[in-house]
Amino acid sequence: ITIAGGSIEVERQISAEKKITITGGSVRAGGCITAPEIEISGGEVSANGEWGSYRRVDDYGTERYAINNADDHLPAIGRQNGCVKISGGTVRTNVDDVDFDYNTAFVLNGRNNGALTYDWKRRGCAGIGGDGTSVIITGGKIYAEGGGLTISDAQYQMSGAGIGGGYQQRCGFIRITGGDVHAAGGKYACGIGPGTQGTYMEGVEISGGKVWAEGGRECPGIWCGRPGVIAISGGTVSAVATYAAGVMDVVGITPYHGQNSNDAKPKVTGCSLDARSLNGVVDANGALCHRVTVNGGSDIKADIQGLPYTYKDVSFDSDGRIYLWLPDGEYDFVVNGDRFTATVVGENVDAMYTGT
């Protein structure tokens, strides 16, 4: 399927056996956009995902919902073992967070559960990605929200990432080289990475663009399962977690279960990263790094000279700060013509302005 213009709106799915290409127009799917290969380079694209649960009304007139397995959790954009490429346009996913009481849930177990109705609007899936699917973003504006299903009074917390996997799903490789990306996980999932109870991931690589990754409750903005690692070598990246009280905290980047070896720690060079890692970050050589905060102009690009790395797509945030990560040492560098110094010895520091 190739869509180059016009306006298309469907109640449920836009699907193809091989490939969907969108280069323009307005495309809206009430459910999902799904194919082994999806390429988006223009237009306005939106989809909502499919949870794939069942519902029925019991003898007393009460609606009951099934606790279903991960196989039916279709992402808003993507599918199992596929690839999603986005190079332009505006792409939005809005997957619901659904909460209902344990007493209205039932398990599909092969026995007669009464008259079942397939309810594809019950969602708990990823925004962009899917089980084992890779996502490559080189441009465009992306607003990817995953969804979650929570059953009260029980340990059922099923959520999908904004970009990555759904509940109990594997996550393919995620590469971001450009664009403006906002990724928010479901209630109990990370912004970028696997979904709830998903542990396998091929890796996260960010080398450019502007990325905001927001996790759900007690979930990091960017999380990586085995055997992959997180590598950020360019761009302006913010990664945060939301806690039960709704307070945003910059605890946003975490390797698999907080693995403490340097091989597992996020590798950070050539970027501005506003986040706090569970067990620290390292540079390309494996040296432990600490945050160096530079104060400057608000929402302007930063031209950085004199440091060991080449910086790409770095901009000051709305508070007028950039966040560089450097190993222990003495640094004398220039940002937008202003000279700064910083001494890093085992802890985060603020760079000192020394003139132009």
Side-chain angles (χ1 to χ4, degrees):
I1 297 175
T2 299
I3 301 171
S7 179
I8 298 173
E9 184 170 353
V10 299
E11 180 183 4
R12 188 174 173 188
Q13 286 188 10
I14 299 173
S15 63
E17 291 184 1
K18 293 184 178 180
K19 185 177 181 179
I20 295 174
T21 301
I22 301 173
T23 62
S26 175
V27 182
R28 298 174 182 268
C32 60
I33 299 172
T34 179
E37 187 175 355
I38 299 172
E39 291 190 6
I40 301 171
S41 60
E44 301 275 338
V45 181
S46 65
N48 296 324
E50 297 192 15
W51 169 244
S53 67
Y54 291 79
R55 62 184 171 85
R56 69 178 173 92
V57 178
D58 66 15
D59 294 338
Y60 301 96
T62 301
E63 278 197 334
R64 298 186 180 276
Y65 292 92
I67 305 165
N68 212 353
N69 60 37
D71 295 339
D72 294 325
H73 306 174
L74 296 178
I77 299 175
R79 64 167 296 169
Q80 186 179 31
N81 297 326
C83 182
V84 179
K85 298 179 180 179
I86 302 173
S87 60
T90 300
V91 181
R92 299 177 184 272
T93 69
N94 182 19
V95 186
D96 294 341
D97 274 314
V98 180
D99 296 270
F100 59 90
D101 189 84
Y102 178 75
N103 292 324
T104 66
F106 67 99
V107 178
L108 289 177
N109 54 14
R111 295 180 295 178
N112 183 9
N113 287 298
L116 299 179
T117 301
Y118 190 69
D119 186 6
W120 57 270
K121 292 183 180 180
R122 289 289 159 180
R123 299 163 184 149
C125 53
I128 299 174
D131 189 10
T133 293
S134 294
V135 179
I136 300 172
I137 299 172
T138 59
K141 295 183 178 180
I142 294 91
Y143 306 90
E145 296 184 2
L149 174 64
T150 303
I151 303 174
S152 63
D153 300 322
Q155 296 299 314
Y156 294 115
Q157 300 165 352
M158 312 171 189
S159 299
I163 299 175
Y167 167 65
Q168 288 187 339
Q169 292 181 345
R170 301 164 301 137
C171 186
F173 196 85
I174 297 173
R175 177 180 290 117
I176 300 172
T177 64
D180 190 343
V181 180
H182 182 119
K187 194 170 184 179
Y188 293 97
C190 58
I192 296 175
T196 306
Q197 296 184 23
T199 59
Y200 178 89
M201 185 172 186
E202 294 180 14
V204 178
E205 181 182 286
I206 301 172
S207 60
K210 186 176 182 179
V211 179
W212 171 275
E214 179 182 335
R217 290 189 179 183
E218 302 178 12
C219 297
I222 302 173
W223 184 78
C224 192
R226 289 175 174 169
V229 296
I230 300 168
I232 305 176
S233 60
T236 302
V237 181
S238 296
V240 299
T242 307
Y243 284 83
V247 177
M248 303 298 290
D249 190 13
V250 186
V251 181
I253 182 169
T254 306
Y256 177 73
H257 286 182
Q259 287 179 312
N260 201 33
S261 71
N262 281 3
D263 289 340
K265 290 176 181 176
K267 294 173 174 53
V268 177
T269 60
C271 68
S272 173
L273 172 63
D274 183 11
R276 180 156 54 86
S277 176
L278 181 63
N279 288 319
V281 305
V282 296
D283 67 6
N285 298 316
L288 188 65
C289 294
H290 300 280
R291 188 181 66 238
V292 177
T293 302
V294 181
N295 291 281
S298 178
D299 292 321
I300 61 173
K301 290 185 177 181
D303 179 19
I304 303 169
Q305 304 292 330
L307 289 175
Y309 318 117
T310 299
Y311 287 83
K312 175 189 174 186
D313 291 348
V314 173
S315 298
F316 288 93
D317 63 15
S318 58
D319 294 322
R321 300 187 181 98
I322 56 175
Y323 307 91
L324 313 179
W325 292 78
L326 300 167
D328 286 357
E330 299 274 350
Y331 299 96
D332 187 338
F333 57 99
V334 176
V335 181
N336 292 350
D338 294 330
R339 187 171 295 278
F340 293 86
T341 62
T343 301
V344 181
V345 185
E347 61 182 3
N348 300 332
V349 298
D350 291 335
M352 294 184 60
Y353 170 73
T354 59
T356 55

